[in-house]
């Protein structure tokens, strides 16, 4: 994941631009997501123009209830279904989670509307531009039929306009909801928005100290109970209580001889490490790290993907000393004529229930991948590589957490979607899917495959917590599960901070933030 400076974010943001453009021009919804789209581009017309409405911002700190003026009922999910594609309906229920919504901010006064029961977003069936098309819930897959604007009419009444179609949310004569051209004579298009006292999400723990201005944090705990926090740009800090952190010296010096020979254009070698992944086994710490390589098209005119490399160093303690173990996988590197399409970045190793070692990695170019590692060395085993997650509007930062719930062994897949690292404008959020096999298929709670843009929202922007992402998950020595991520602090003008929340699992085995 990309990082503290505009330069370090350049590779990844540039890599996704063409993808995002393609998404905004297509109708790949089924209810679509508002993900990485920049919004706008809706097919509006004079007949759908707001009447006496003022484009307005909406509270995203608290959960909202949205009531239709004509029917007096609230937006909810038909039959409280978790299934992707379930229709948006109306209900008199004011306490159930299915009638509670979270307005996630997007560019240009646009929002995704996240349902707080299903953590899917509201869109239009088949991403349709047609009047009469029904509103449905779907994974946040990046299509702009999931983008909405709110126009204030006064007296806490609003029009809710779909960005893609330019049409307005309207109560049907039944309990269902559809989109329609503007009808100023019908209060069926007017909505009252009530801010509840329920926060959209719990706040992170109040951490302090050195090393907490971090990106892409990966936290481990040693046998003595001490926590070690690694991050992008080779940061390292430690804590005895998971609250007060102390910055340590450089985590690792990757200026190895083999890397110097490959990295010929940078005298002395490139040593800016991104998104580390740590694994402890056999009395050894395995430190997987990625190095982005900035390369202009003139150096490699046939390049089809990003330039990056993942390598491994091993050591006897969380601070090393580190021994070079070599390269795991690369994408293009400095090789003329390279045609790799994956991005060799964001490594995340794990051990499955059968003792086999795996590593996930990747972003943007063609999704996220998994390959097998050799437990004897920690290096790559064989040449097989499987694509397990893909999202046209951007996904990165893969992390698989093996965990047993209700007697079933699951592999929970956590990832970050949308564009990162623009401070208070970061649109990052964390999604989750799961599988009973390390190699998938990974499905979200609504039943969508993560290879088809699925992913249930686990945590999104709320209050002063902007753009949470770059996540990892830790099971502590006392069997608590901790979500570790970075966010941009709204009280510090978007300064990056460490986020820590405990995770719990519901009766169906799905994680939620505490």
């Amino acid at each position: 994941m990309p990082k503290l400076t505009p330069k370090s974010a350049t590779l990844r943001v540039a890599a996704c631009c063409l993808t995002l453009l393609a998404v905004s021009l297509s109708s790949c919804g089924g209810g679509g997501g508002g993900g990485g789209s920049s919004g706008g581009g809706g097919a509006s017309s004079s007949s759908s123009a707001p009447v006496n409405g003022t484009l307005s911002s909406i509270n995203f700190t608290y959960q909202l209830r949205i009531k239709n003026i004509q029917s007096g009922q609230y937006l909810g999910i038909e039959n409280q279904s978790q299934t992707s594609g379930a229709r948006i309906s109306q209900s008199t229920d004011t306490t159930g989670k299915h009638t509670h919504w979270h307005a996630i901010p997007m560019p240009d006064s646009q929002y995704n509307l996240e349902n707080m029961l299903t953590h899917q977003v509201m869109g239009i069936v088949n991403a349709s531009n047609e009047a009469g098309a029904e509103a449905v819930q779907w994974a946040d897959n990046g299509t702009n039929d999931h983008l909405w604007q709110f126009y204030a009419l006064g007296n806490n009444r609003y029009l809710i306009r779909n960005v893609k179609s330019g049409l307005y949310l309207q109560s049907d004569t039944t309990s269902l909801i559809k989109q329609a051209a503007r009808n100023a004579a019908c209060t069926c298009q007017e909505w009252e928005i009530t801010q509840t006292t329920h926060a959209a999400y719990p706040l992170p723990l109040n951490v302090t100290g050195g090393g907490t201005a971090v990106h892409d944090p990966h936290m481990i705990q040693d046998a003595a109970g001490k926590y070690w926090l690694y991050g992008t740009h080779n940061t390292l800090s430690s804590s005895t209580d998971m609250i007060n952190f102390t910055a340590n010296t450089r985590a690792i010096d990757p200026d190895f001889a083999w890397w110097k020979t490959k990295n010929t254009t940078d005298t002395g070698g490139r040593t800016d490490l991104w998104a580390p992944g740590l694994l402890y086994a056999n009395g050894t710490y395995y430190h997987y790290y990625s190095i982005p390589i900035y390369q202009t098209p003139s150096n490699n005119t046939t390049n089809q993907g990003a330039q990056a490399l993942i390598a491994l160093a091993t050591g006897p303690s969380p601070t090393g000393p580190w021994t070079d173990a070599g390269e795991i996988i690369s994408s293009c590197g400095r090789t003329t004529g390279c045609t790799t399409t994956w991005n060799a970045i964001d490594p995340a190793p794990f051990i499955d229930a059968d003792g086999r070692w795996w590593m996930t990695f990747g972003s943007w170019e063609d999704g996220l991948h998994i390959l097998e590692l050799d437990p004897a060395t920690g290096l790559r085993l064989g040449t097989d590589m499987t694509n397990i997650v893909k999202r046209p509007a951007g996904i990165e930062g893969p992390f698989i957490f093996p965990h047993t719930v209700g007697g079933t062994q699951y592999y929970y897949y956590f990832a970050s979607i949308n564009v990162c690292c623009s401070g208070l404008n970061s649109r990052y959020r964390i999604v989750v899917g799961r599988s009973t096999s390390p190699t998938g298929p990974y499905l979200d709670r609504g039943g969508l495959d993560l290879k088809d843009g699925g992913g249930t929202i686990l945590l999104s922007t709320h209050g002063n917590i902007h753009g949470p992402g770059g996540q990892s998950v830790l099971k502590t020595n006392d069997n608590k599960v901790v979500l570790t991520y970075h966010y941009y602090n709204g009280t510090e003008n978007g300064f990056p901070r460490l986020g820590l929340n405990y995770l719990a699992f519901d009766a169906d085995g799905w994680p939620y933030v505490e």
Side-chain angles (χ1 to χ4, degrees):
M1 293 318 3
K3 317 306 167 185
L4 292 172
T5 65
K7 178 181 178 182
S8 63
T10 299
L11 173 65
R12 201 159 301 184
V13 172
C16 71
C17 288
L18 292 178
T19 300
L20 299 182
L21 176 61
V23 170
S24 67
L25 295 176
S26 66
S27 298
C28 56
S37 171
S38 61
S44 60
S45 65
S46 59
S47 64
S48 62
V51 176
N52 300 324
T54 302
L55 183 63
S56 302
S57 59
I58 298 295
N59 182 281
F60 54 85
T61 299
Y62 293 95
Q63 298 179 29
L64 308 173
R65 290 198 301 269
I66 304 174
K67 183 174 72 174
N68 186 263
I69 297 302
Q70 177 173 278
S71 70
Q73 298 188 68
Y74 296 87
L75 281 184
I77 306 299
E78 188 176 34
N79 299 321
Q80 301 188 40
S81 174
Q82 293 281 355
T83 304
S84 293
R87 295 184 291 190
I88 307 299
S89 65
Q90 299 181 84
S91 173
T92 58
D93 182 8
T94 60
T95 60
K97 285 186 176 180
H98 80 111
T99 56
H100 286 67
W101 298 84
H102 175 212
I104 310 175
M106 295 293 286
D108 304 321
S109 298
Q110 301 168 8
Y111 296 85
N112 296 142
L113 282 174
E114 174 189 5
N115 186 268
M116 298 311 290
L117 173 69
T118 66
H119 296 283
Q120 299 179 60
V121 294
M122 182 168 70
I124 300 298
V125 64
N126 297 324
S128 174
N129 288 331
E130 298 299 320
E134 292 180 340
V136 297
Q137 67 175 357
W138 203 259
D140 176 9
N141 64 8
T143 55
N144 60 356
D145 67 300
H146 289 164
L147 293 171
W148 302 88
Q149 291 178 315
F150 293 80
Y151 289 85
L153 299 174
N155 298 320
N156 199 31
R157 296 185 180 188
Y158 295 84
L159 304 174
I160 304 177
R161 178 179 179 269
N162 186 269
V163 169
K164 182 176 185 295
S165 67
L167 301 175
Y168 293 82
L169 204 64
Q170 175 175 305
S171 170
D172 202 339
T173 53
T174 66
S175 64
L176 301 180
I177 304 298
K178 63 184 181 182
Q179 64 180 1
R182 178 72 179 114
N183 181 357
C186 186
T187 57
C188 58
Q189 290 184 348
E190 297 182 13
W191 302 87
E192 179 184 271
I193 298 179
T194 302
Q195 177 183 304
T196 73
T197 58
H198 302 287
Y201 286 99
L203 291 173
L205 300 179
N206 187 23
V207 300
T208 186
T212 56
V214 66
H215 278 80
D216 309 320
H218 186 114
M219 190 166 67
I220 62 173
Q221 188 180 25
D222 65 24
K226 193 171 187 177
Y227 298 93
W228 297 90
L229 181 71
Y230 303 80
T232 280
H233 301 314
N234 214 2
T235 63
L236 174 63
S237 60
S238 60
S239 172
T240 58
D241 59 6
M242 213 170 66
I243 297 295
N244 301 291
F245 285 82
T246 300
N248 291 76
T249 56
R250 248 171 103 96
I252 184 174
D253 183 355
D255 203 9
F256 300 126
W258 66 269
W259 171 233
K260 290 181 182 179
T261 62
K262 178 171 290 192
N263 191 19
T264 55
T265 63
D266 292 321
T267 302
R270 182 174 176 80
T271 57
D272 182 17
L273 307 188
W274 285 12
L278 277 291
L279 182 67
Y280 177 73
N282 308 322
T284 299
Y285 289 87
Y286 295 82
H287 189 304
Y288 295 86
Y289 58 89
S290 51
I291 302 177
I293 306 168
Y294 300 102
Q295 180 174 329
T296 63
S298 62
N299 291 338
N300 187 352
T301 56
T302 60
N303 169 44
Q304 299 297 310
Q307 298 80 45
L309 173 145
I310 296 171
L312 169 66
T314 60
S317 77
T319 58
W322 300 104
T323 300
D324 174 26
E327 179 181 339
I328 303 295
I329 190 171
S330 64
S331 52
C332 292
R334 299 290 180 180
T335 305
T336 301
C338 172
T339 58
T340 59
T341 56
W342 63 81
N343 192 356
I345 202 165
D346 294 359
F350 69 98
I351 301 175
D352 72 15
D354 296 322
R356 296 172 69 180
W357 290 30
W358 304 90
M359 187 187 77
T360 58
F361 71 96
S363 75
W364 297 104
E365 274 63 39
D366 68 344
L368 309 178
H369 308 267
I370 189 168
L371 54 79
E372 191 166 4
L373 301 173
D374 185 349
T377 63
L379 297 173
R380 186 174 181 180
L381 182 65
T383 59
D384 289 346
M385 182 173 68
T386 303
N387 182 284
I388 52 178
V389 176
K390 192 168 185 179
R391 179 178 181 267
I395 188 166
E396 55 191 6
F399 190 91
I400 292 182
F401 178 63
H403 190 58
T404 301
V405 178
T408 301
Q409 173 68 58
Y410 289 112
Y411 298 89
Y412 290 91
Y413 198 104
F414 300 86
S416 305
I417 61 174
N418 304 338
V419 177
C420 170
C421 307
S422 52
L424 298 181
N425 293 318
S426 176
R427 307 306 172 188
Y428 241 18
R429 64 196 64 158
I430 302 170
V431 298
V432 63
R434 72 184 184 189
S435 176
T436 55
S437 166
T439 57
Y442 285 86
L443 306 180
D444 67 14
R445 187 163 190 164
L448 288 180
D449 196 317
L450 269 65
K451 286 202 297 186
D452 297 325
T456 301
I457 297 173
L458 180 73
L459 186 64
S460 58
T461 292
H462 59 106
N464 287 312
I465 311 303
H466 293 256
Q471 72 299 311
S472 61
V473 179
L474 165 69
K475 180 178 283 188
T476 66
N477 294 350
D478 57 357
N479 290 320
K480 294 179 180 178
V481 181
V482 181
L483 177 69
T484 305
Y485 57 96
H486 71 247
Y487 68 92
Y488 300 93
N489 194 342
T491 65
E492 298 180 289
N493 198 32
F495 195 75
R497 286 297 182 190
L498 169 66
L500 297 175
N501 287 84
Y502 289 105
L503 289 183
F505 293 80
D506 66 17
D508 295 318
W510 286 98
Y512 61 92
V513 174
E514 289 191 319

